[in-house]
Amino acid sequence: MTDISCAPRPRGLQAGARFEAGERTVVIAPDLRVSERSVERWRRAWREGGEDALRSSGPASVPKLSDDQFALLEQELGRGPAAHGFEDQRWTLARVQAVIGRRFRMRLSVATVRRLLKRHGRSWQAQARRALEREKLSTLHHRWQVDRLRNGASYG
């Protein structure tokens, strides 16, 4: 477990402490790696509401799918891609997006689907696919070259 006092403070709160110390905007902005405009906005909020005005109000939006809806999505994905009309047994983000659209009547971007899966502990990894036809051709070509060399043909 980590001590709360050791946790890094959000940049707005760091700026608030520096406002109290009387530091200027042009000094604070580069140190916190933000624009001067952000520091000015934080300073205005700090003047009006103190340190509480600099605290985060939470995420900008609520999750797109509730936990119950995500549990239903997992059941749907567990049925497999073929049960949803896809030809092969691979889940892609676009396919998960389509299932969400059909099942929950909502449109999510592919990036949002990826974040949703990641938030629930699912990793998105592209499957390592090997071109079997190409591998077969390469093997056949190699065998042909070996046979030519064994029979005394020149290489070239």
Side-chain angles (χ1 to χ4, degrees):
M1 299 202 60
T2 60
D3 185 14
I4 293 175
S5 62
C6 293
R9 294 175 63 186
R11 288 184 283 192
L13 292 177
Q14 290 176 24
R18 294 176 78 169
F19 297 153
E20 288 177 8
E23 289 190 46
R24 295 178 32 186
T25 300
V26 295
V27 174
I28 297 171
D31 289 348
L32 297 180
R33 295 182 179 172
V34 296
S35 67
E36 290 181 20
R37 194 168 197 171
S38 292
V39 176
E40 290 168 2
R41 188 176 62 246
W42 292 337
R43 188 182 297 274
R44 191 171 34 256
W46 175 75
R47 277 192 209 122
E48 294 172 4
E51 195 172 287
D52 289 338
L54 298 175
R55 295 191 191 283
S56 173
S57 57
S61 65
V62 296
K64 304 295 183 191
L65 289 179
S66 68
D67 289 336
D68 294 337
Q69 288 175 320
F70 191 80
L72 289 173
L73 176 63
E74 283 187 318
Q75 289 176 358
E76 292 295 324
L77 297 179
R79 292 176 45 208
H84 295 280
F86 300 112
E87 293 149 9
D88 58 11
Q89 288 296 315
R90 289 180 301 141
W91 280 114
T92 64
L93 290 174
R95 289 178 178 187
V96 174
Q97 176 189 32
V99 171
I100 291 171
R102 286 185 217 139
R103 181 70 170 91
F104 303 107
R105 304 274 190 255
M106 62 174 61
R107 295 176 60 93
L108 302 178
S109 70
V110 172
T112 301
V113 171
R114 187 189 65 75
R115 284 191 301 269
L116 176 72
L117 294 174
K118 184 177 179 182
R119 185 179 309 125
H120 286 276
R122 306 294 180 263
S123 68
W124 165 253
Q125 296 177 347
Q127 293 180 346
R129 290 180 51 201
R130 300 173 80 190
L132 295 177
E133 297 83 14
R134 186 171 186 159
E135 189 173 298
K136 287 178 186 174
L137 286 175
S138 175
T139 303
L140 288 175
H141 181 71
H142 176 72
R143 285 183 186 161
W144 176 75
Q145 286 180 337
V146 169
D147 289 342
R148 281 187 63 207
L149 290 173
R150 283 185 185 155
N151 293 333
S154 64
Y155 190 78

